[in-house]
Amino acid sequence: MGRDTTAVKKHHAQRSEPSSSNPYIYLLVKIYRFLARRAACPFNKVVLHRLMMSRTNLPPMTLSRIVLNMKGKEGKTCVVVGTVTDDTRLAEVPKLRVAALRFTETARARILKAGGEVLTLDQLAMTAPKGSNTVLLRGKRSARTVYKYFGAPGVPGSHARPRISSKTQTGRKHERGRGRRASKAFKVKA
């Protein structure tokens, strides 16, 4: 008789319920769990998986990104499991059909003004239960400010932002001393 060492290493890290306590998301999980089981297609499984993700893994997506990705895909529905935000740099919004978890007020208004359609994910489940004629998109995770600090600041070729106590410490002396200038002991060549 010995210890079962194989079972110790088995780690099932997939979520079985959403991290959010929002009842609307719980209902969506119920719908897409049913669809993933009964309507055998990868689309529903992916949407279900994304509904259970944490907020940092559900980055927002701007209208300009959606317009860029939907070029040449007219007549298809854009699906974003996350927030759709407005982009003031975008001059004209074409006619779009977008389904998402939530929309900012201005993004919703601009899509509707262009003659487009705004859907919730439960409405999408009714119209396209197998995800037919849809384009599944997601925002850029590394757009969060935290990512700017990842890495080693000061190392040649690194663009990592240094963690300094205040925004005012960006002058001549701060983070520009030893190793950065020949006049201060040495200069590291990139």
Side-chain angles (χ1 to χ4, degrees):
M1 233 19 213
R3 277 181 64 219
D4 182 14
T5 54
T6 54
V8 176
K9 291 171 186 166
K10 282 181 186 170
H11 179 64
H12 187 68
Q14 201 170 4
R15 283 185 173 169
S16 57
E17 57 179 39
S19 58
S20 170
S21 58
N22 186 344
Y24 172 66
I25 290 175
Y26 265 83
L27 288 171
L28 282 175
V29 165
K30 242 181 168 178
I31 292 166
Y32 279 95
R33 187 175 275 146
F34 172 79
L35 286 171
R37 193 177 73 245
R38 295 293 292 272
C41 70
F43 174 82
N44 291 324
K45 284 179 184 168
V46 172
V47 172
L48 175 66
H49 181 69
R50 288 189 193 176
L51 281 169
M52 291 186 194
M53 283 181 177
S54 60
R55 273 188 71 182
T56 55
N57 291 322
L58 285 178
M61 193 158 196
T62 62
L63 268 178
S64 55
R65 275 272 148 216
I66 291 170
V67 170
L68 204 70
N69 284 296
M70 293 302 284
K71 203 164 266 177
K73 295 179 184 119
E74 287 78 21
K76 290 196 174 191
T77 309
C78 167
V79 183
V80 180
V81 185
T83 311
V84 172
T85 57
D86 184 25
D87 195 343
T88 50
R89 298 167 298 181
L90 186 69
E92 282 181 38
V93 179
K95 190 180 176 184
L96 292 168
R97 195 162 188 256
V98 189
L101 260 183
R102 55 186 77 84
F103 295 85
T104 60
E105 281 181 36
T106 46
R108 185 188 295 270
R110 286 186 79 182
I111 293 167
L112 293 172
K113 192 182 176 185
E117 204 177 338
V118 170
L119 299 169
T120 57
L121 291 179
D122 52 305
Q123 286 172 326
L124 179 78
M126 298 288 280
T127 54
K130 284 194 171 185
S132 51
N133 282 328
T134 59
V135 179
L136 192 58
L137 301 173
R138 62 171 150 193
K140 194 179 171 189
R141 285 184 204 189
S142 59
R144 282 170 59 222
T145 316
V146 220
Y147 282 85
K148 287 187 171 76
Y149 294 97
F150 292 171
V155 172
S158 168
H159 296 288
R161 188 187 283 187
R163 291 188 186 274
I164 48 179
S165 58
S166 71
K167 287 181 180 176
T168 57
Q169 293 185 346
T170 53
R172 176 180 55 84
K173 288 180 174 179
H174 306 286
E175 306 271 335
R176 283 167 177 78
R178 279 172 59 87
R180 294 297 187 96
R181 293 183 283 174
S183 61
K184 298 282 178 271
F186 66 97
K187 182 177 179 359
V188 178
K189 278 136 185 98

